[in-house]
Amino acid sequence: MSAKHQDLEIQTRIDHILARLREEGFRVTPQRLAVLEVLAASENHPSVEAIYDQVRRRFSTISLATVYKTISLLKEIHEVLELGFADRSSRYDGHKPYPHPHLICTRCGRIQDPELSSLEELTREATTQTGFEIVTHRLDFFGLCNDCRCEE
Amino acid sequence: MSAKHQDLEIQTRIDHILARLREEGFRVTPQRLAVLEVLAASENHPSVEAIYDQVRRRFSTISLATVYKTISLLKEIHEVLELGFADRSSRYDGHKPYPHPHLICTRCGRIQDPELSSLEELTREATTQTGFEIVTHRLDFFGLCNDCRCEE
DNA sequence: CGGATAAAAATAATCGTTATTAATAAATAA
DNA sequence: TTATTTATTAATAACGATTATTTTTATCCG
């Protein structure tokens, strides 16, 4: 994928979220724009701290609370996906704000999105077996990514 | 399953964990016994608070910190599975202390264990697609259990 | 038993997140 | 445009679940 094409994709995503904010009656402020720009541009499911650090480079006076509030707002309008982990840390996905599987490298922290065609079948199996009406899910695989596996 | 049979199963589980504690060189104290008895008897993936409340009925002087420490110890020797959720709450499974799928009712909080045969296939798919060496996983389905679905 | 030392109780500290409040700025009306 | 309304921000206090600390107690093993 060319750099130009990627820039376009990012801008499209930003525009979409801006439209969603207006649509829901929320104001578009420089702080919100800065946060969602970081989320749209980031390829690495950043943490709140990582977002805060990035945003501060261009917006030195922004408050950490504002970052939290903005992320919370984006969650509310379903434009960001929160990945909370057992160790109480959270990472955020601003690209695909709907449930999908993740592969998490326990060595370098990298998070990758696989396309798993058999997930649908698995959901069906769970439904028929238990009588649950399944609304959403969360699926994480943990292990070593290709790079870390070779370095060890 | 008869009540007697269930009692036997619970006792077997308790004995196993006690053996594991001794094996690892940890002492068996009345507090630890009380906590793991609750974990072994509970069918409902209890929270720390729920365990604390149960234990206190028979052991009124036990400290909350002791409950935390005991659970942490049982995690360490891989005899309890912690399920940490995005809202920072945690529930504990003392029956199957290895990764397995869960169905969580978002209305009543009930947690059920399905047997999903296609999970193995899914893991294979993730491995071949990404080059990850998968070590463990976490899979939760959220929705309405059979009872709650009918009551709504 | 008795001593070494792990574990428990009580409580203080920690830390990520949320709530509060006064100041600011965006939207709207005049 | 300017005034007015009200959402949003910044700064910081508060919160709460978990962890660390310290003193006391109790288990284990010879």
Side-chain angles (χ1 to χ4, degrees):
Chain A
M1 183 157 44
S2 70
K4 248 185 190 166
H5 181 208
Q6 205 172 343
D7 283 354
L8 183 63
E9 267 197 356
I10 292 169
Q11 194 52 54
T12 305
R13 180 85 189 114
I14 291 170
D15 291 344
H16 171 76
I17 301 177
L18 289 177
R20 285 297 324 285
L21 279 173
R22 294 197 185 94
E23 191 181 308
E24 300 276 347
F26 296 107
R27 293 177 182 175
V28 173
T29 64
Q31 290 90 338
R32 284 176 178 170
L33 181 60
V35 168
L36 69 87
E37 275 177 351
V38 169
L39 273 168
S42 178
E43 284 298 316
N44 211 31
H45 303 71
S47 64
V48 167
E49 277 302 317
I51 295 167
Y52 181 51
D53 289 348
Q54 288 251 129
V55 168
R56 262 208 299 193
R57 287 182 203 160
R58 296 196 299 104
F59 210 118
S60 61
T61 64
I62 197 169
S63 167
L64 179 57
T66 300
V67 177
Y68 272 105
K69 282 224 75 182
T70 304
I71 292 170
S72 170
L73 176 63
L74 293 174
K75 275 195 293 180
E76 205 180 305
I77 65 171
H78 302 107
E79 291 301 335
V80 73
L81 181 72
E82 178 176 37
L83 298 175
F85 295 101
D87 68 354
R88 313 285 136 192
S89 69
S90 277
R91 307 271 295 262
Y92 297 88
D93 189 334
H95 297 282
K96 303 200 285 182
Y98 46 84
H100 62 279
H102 290 93
L103 277 157
I104 296 133
C105 180
T106 50
R107 190 162 175 268
C108 72
R110 181 179 168 195
I111 300 182
Q112 199 170 328
D113 294 349
E115 294 290 337
L116 304 178
S117 59
S118 45
L119 180 56
E120 211 181 318
E121 163 63 18
L122 196 75
T123 308
R124 250 196 310 278
E125 201 181 347
T127 303
T128 55
Q129 190 177 124
T130 62
F132 259 67
E133 180 188 325
I134 293 173
V135 176
T136 183
H137 71 270
R138 170 78 187 273
L139 172 54
D140 296 331
F141 291 102
F142 299 91
L144 293 175
C145 73
N146 205 34
D147 295 349
C148 288
R149 191 163 52 78
C150 299
E151 278 176 35
E152 279 215 333
Chain B
M1 182 158 43
S2 71
K4 249 184 190 165
H5 181 209
Q6 205 171 342
D7 283 355
L8 183 61
E9 267 197 357
I10 292 169
Q11 195 53 54
T12 305
R13 181 86 189 114
I14 292 170
D15 290 343
H16 170 77
I17 300 177
L18 289 177
R20 285 297 322 287
L21 279 173
R22 293 198 185 94
E23 191 181 310
E24 301 275 347
F26 295 108
R27 292 180 182 172
V28 173
T29 63
Q31 290 90 337
R32 284 177 178 170
L33 182 60
V35 169
L36 70 88
E37 275 177 352
V38 169
L39 273 168
S42 176
E43 285 297 317
N44 211 30
H45 303 71
S47 64
V48 168
E49 277 301 319
I51 296 167
Y52 181 50
D53 290 347
Q54 288 252 127
V55 168
R56 263 208 299 193
R57 287 183 203 159
R58 295 197 298 105
F59 209 119
S60 61
T61 64
I62 197 168
S63 167
L64 179 58
T66 300
V67 177
Y68 272 104
K69 283 224 75 182
T70 303
I71 292 169
S72 171
L73 177 64
L74 293 174
K75 275 195 292 179
E76 205 180 305
I77 64 172
H78 302 107
E79 290 301 335
V80 72
L81 180 72
E82 178 176 37
L83 298 175
F85 295 101
D87 68 353
R88 311 288 137 190
S89 68
S90 277
R91 306 272 295 263
Y92 297 88
D93 188 334
H95 297 282
K96 303 200 284 182
Y98 45 84
H100 62 279
H102 290 93
L103 277 157
I104 296 132
C105 180
T106 50
R107 191 163 175 269
C108 72
R110 181 180 169 196
I111 299 181
Q112 201 171 328
D113 294 348
E115 295 290 337
L116 304 179
S117 59
S118 45
L119 180 56
E120 211 181 318
E121 163 63 18
L122 195 76
T123 308
R124 250 197 309 279
E125 201 181 348
T127 303
T128 54
Q129 191 178 123
T130 61
F132 259 67
E133 178 188 325
I134 294 173
V135 175
T136 183
H137 71 270
R138 170 78 186 272
L139 173 54
D140 296 332
F141 291 102
F142 298 90
L144 293 175
C145 72
N146 205 33
D147 295 350
C148 287
R149 191 163 52 78
C150 297
E151 277 176 36
E152 280 214 331

